[in-house]
Amino acid sequence: KDDLGWTLAERIVRAKGEDGEEEEEMVGTPGEVNQALMELGATYCSPAGSGIDDGDPLKEFYISTKLGAAIGGAMRDGSSNIRGRVENLIAEQSLASNNGKRCCRMCDGNGIATAYYDIMDRINEDLHKTKNTDIKRIYAIAGHASLPIPPPKKAKREEVIAVAVISVQPSNSERCWLMVKRPSTGLLASQWEFPSVCVWNSADEKKKK
């Protein structure tokens, strides 16, 4: 995955325009390509887009819409055993172990089941609240809206900070302020601030309990 990411990044950096005939004379436009990718993600890709917009150049490549259509079809076809077979396969997959490794919700042993039931819930919700009779469209949109699965949010840490604001103004001179430099790593690394100390934080409070 990492190698693929670097390969794609290199292609963006080496993106060429059409101003020159020879390759070495062509004008590079990586900034424009990068901006176009951001615009594409902000307008058509989940969760902003539906996955089936006619103007979306990636419409034919979304796996999410295909999954939505397949799951919706299995839900609708109650006379077949397709849904039962799918859910049995998902149950078997959910038994897989992650060997203690941390991973995203999709890569988790229950990730496939999470995606499957998220899409089902979205389909049922959309069917009840919309008058759209294009069932396949509803299925595709539900699949696109449900993926990727957002990672679990970390609990916010609350802190109470005591800050000392100390200044001195020698005669015939500008006022001076006492500042300290933050550690070279972590949040706001190496920046300057007033001296401070944490007198309480929520993480320590949880440990006491």
Side-chain angles (χ1 to χ4, degrees):
K1 181 176 68 175
D2 292 338
D3 289 342
L4 175 60
W6 282 110
T7 300
L8 295 175
E10 183 179 5
R11 290 181 181 178
I12 293 175
V13 172
R14 294 179 178 275
K16 300 292 184 179
E18 300 178 352
D19 294 340
E21 295 181 0
E22 300 296 332
E23 183 177 352
E24 57 271 14
E25 296 178 358
M26 296 177 73
V27 178
T29 57
E32 293 180 9
V33 175
N34 189 53
Q35 183 64 37
L37 290 173
M38 291 192 293
E39 292 291 337
L40 180 63
T43 53
Y44 288 119
C45 293
S46 181
S50 67
I52 58 175
D53 296 286
D54 290 335
D56 188 348
L58 300 178
K59 181 175 68 171
E60 301 301 324
F61 301 95
Y62 290 127
I63 296 177
S64 56
T65 56
K66 295 178 175 63
L67 283 174
I71 292 173
M75 291 172 60
R76 188 179 184 186
D77 191 359
S79 62
S80 72
N81 196 34
I82 295 177
R83 179 173 172 180
R85 294 202 312 245
V86 169
E87 293 183 1
N88 284 336
L89 287 171
I90 289 173
E92 292 175 6
Q93 177 65 29
S94 296
L95 296 176
S97 171
N98 296 320
N99 298 320
K101 295 180 179 179
R102 295 183 61 186
C103 53
C104 68
R105 290 177 64 199
M106 191 62 189
C107 298
D108 184 78
N110 295 317
I112 295 176
T114 300
Y116 176 75
Y117 290 111
D118 280 355
I119 293 173
M120 285 184 61
D121 290 342
R122 178 61 185 256
I123 288 174
N124 286 324
E125 180 184 339
D126 289 350
L127 287 174
H128 282 91
K129 72 179 184 181
T130 182
K131 296 180 180 179
N132 190 342
T133 57
D134 190 344
I135 303 298
K136 292 183 179 180
R137 182 182 176 89
I138 293 177
Y139 295 161
I141 294 175
H144 194 67
S146 301
L147 296 171
I149 301 173
K153 293 183 179 180
K154 294 182 179 179
K156 292 183 179 180
R157 184 179 67 180
E158 297 181 355
E159 295 181 336
V160 175
I161 306 292
V163 181
V165 181
I166 303 172
S167 70
V168 62
Q169 186 173 12
S171 58
N172 300 323
S173 180
E174 294 184 0
R175 181 176 294 276
C176 299
W177 301 86
L178 176 63
M179 307 290 286
V180 295
K181 197 172 186 178
R182 293 180 62 89
S184 58
T185 59
L187 182 66
L188 305 177
S190 300
Q191 295 194 20
W192 293 89
E193 65 179 5
F194 291 116
S196 64
V197 61
C198 177
V199 296
W200 177 90
N201 71 64
S202 56
D204 290 342
E205 195 69 20
K206 289 179 180 179
K207 291 179 182 178
K208 293 178 182 178
K209 294 179 179 180

